[in-house]
Amino acid sequence: MKLISLSALLFVIFLGALFIYIADDIPDFGDPNSPPNRYVNLSISMDAAEAATNLNKGVVPEELVSKLEARGFREDELPAKVEMVKEGEWDAFIIPEEKHYYPKEQKYYFIKKEGDKLWVYRYAPIIRYIEEGHEETEVPNMVTYILADYRGYDTLGEVTVIFTAGVGVILLLRRRAKRPEAR
Amino acid sequence: MNTEKSEAGEGKKRGGDVIVETVSRLMVPFIQLFALYVIIHGAGGPGGGFQGGVIFGASFVLLVIAFGIVKAGDRFPEGINTALTSLGVYIYAGVGLLCIILSLGVAQYLNYGFLSLPVHFEERRALGMDLVEIGIGITVMAVITSIFFNLVWKREPEGGGGEEE
Amino acid sequence: MEWVIADIILAKYNYWVSIILMLIGFYAMIAKGNLVKKIIGLNIFQTAIFLFYISLADIRAVIGTKGGTEPIVSEEIIHKGYVYVNPLPHVLILTAIVVAVATTAVALALIIRMYEEYGTIEEDEIIEKERELGV
């Protein structure tokens, strides 16, 4: 066998071993609670007793705000309002500065009680597009309004890519008319 | 001998190609109508600009397969095709620039709520999306057509290249 | 040993299918000599990536809940208990498919021009001709 075939085979086997090594971290197929689909575990935990009573009344506890600020969240990403979803689960909202129409509250954090502690999760950005997309744009198809409205700038770059490919092929293989050899 | 051979060749060619040419000439308008349906109904069901543009380009590819590149290639002059590829990008970027001009003071690019149409803010976003999808469809159709025609066209060998086909 | 089969192989079979396709495409891109076969390997590689990314977005039926349905907003489906499939990977892969088409088109145009210049599309013969021309 040629040298490059042999070295390619060895490299492919090495890559295969690497993929098997990291197979533990990949989320399961069809898991509804995996990080791309619902929320990401932030690994912030608080004691349940005093914080739970604060959250039940609808007041954001000080400990939560200070821990989030220590983690690195910015000024306008700290929670401003808490609502209860079920017994033991709370949604925390933030009010970002959306300059174009009105500053609206947005569902950002998810606090859950497990055993003795409260764990804090963060919602994936897809939650806003699924739940409030149909009110903000009167379009039923989610893929279309994400492509053309919320991420419209990326689609402009996309059209530029295919325009560049067309121009590249035209420059390489131009269809010339049969001209007579005039020298 | 030469005339007999050419006549026999022509008769054989005429017999096989009539069905393919006629059927494809009948099918092309319906394929294009379906492509326009997919572009415009991209808001209510599956579809959108890219998908409809590719189906539109596929109708021209069908014409080339049935008729041959020389006969079909004369119908699509290269200048109009190249102009159509840039027209779609102009429409897309132009809508964005129009939103900056019409939104006095706030100045947001590609925020279709500020276009001056006689409906309320949320529905203007849906209509702006339709305009943008039409622009995408035009560009994708022209690019797929021009790529296919350029890849299939038999090139005249340049001076000194030898007889290659 | 059962936990190995159930947890790693069966629960993530989308990952394994995508890995096998990706390695086949990668080997074809490097080791084959014909230029068109390299482009075919590139396309297989890209298809494997698309498959993996979209399969991350699926939501399957666990005991007690119904599975995911298509991401088009409609009121009746919500009342029946379905959830929506995550639409964000679909959007990103639409862009990636168009990039794959553009790359393949320009690569095939380059191959046609190389065939007209050198008369062959085997990589070894092109290197030989270049070496002769260079010296």
Side-chain angles (χ1 to χ4, degrees), chain B residues 47-165:
Chain B
F50 292 103
Q51 290 90 321
V54 170
I55 296 179
F56 213 107
S59 75
F60 298 141
V61 170
L62 175 65
L63 275 184
V64 168
I65 290 177
F67 282 85
I69 185 65
V70 181
K71 264 175 85 170
D74 283 342
R75 283 189 170 272
F76 300 101
E78 197 180 350
I80 294 187
N81 223 354
T82 316
L84 277 179
T85 63
S86 21
L87 181 71
V89 187
Y90 278 149
I91 289 180
Y92 200 124
V95 164
L97 204 58
L98 198 64
C99 292
I100 285 187
I101 294 178
L102 287 177
S103 72
L104 316 157
V106 191
Q108 301 218 313
Y109 190 67
L110 282 177
N111 188 358
Y112 313 120
F114 292 106
L115 297 174
S116 64
L117 295 166
V119 284
H120 58 281
F121 189 84
E122 275 88 18
E123 205 166 319
R124 283 183 205 166
R125 291 171 83 152
L127 293 176
M129 265 195 266
D130 278 337
L131 268 179
V132 154
E133 299 276 350
I134 289 177
I136 296 177
I138 291 177
T139 295
V140 172
M141 178 264 290
V143 163
I144 291 218
T145 303
S146 99
I147 284 178
F148 186 75
F149 277 31
N150 280 331
L151 281 178
V152 171
W153 185 265
K154 278 201 184 29
R155 290 165 58 85
E156 294 285 316
E158 315 259 325
E163 290 292 321
E164 290 170 3
E165 279 198 36

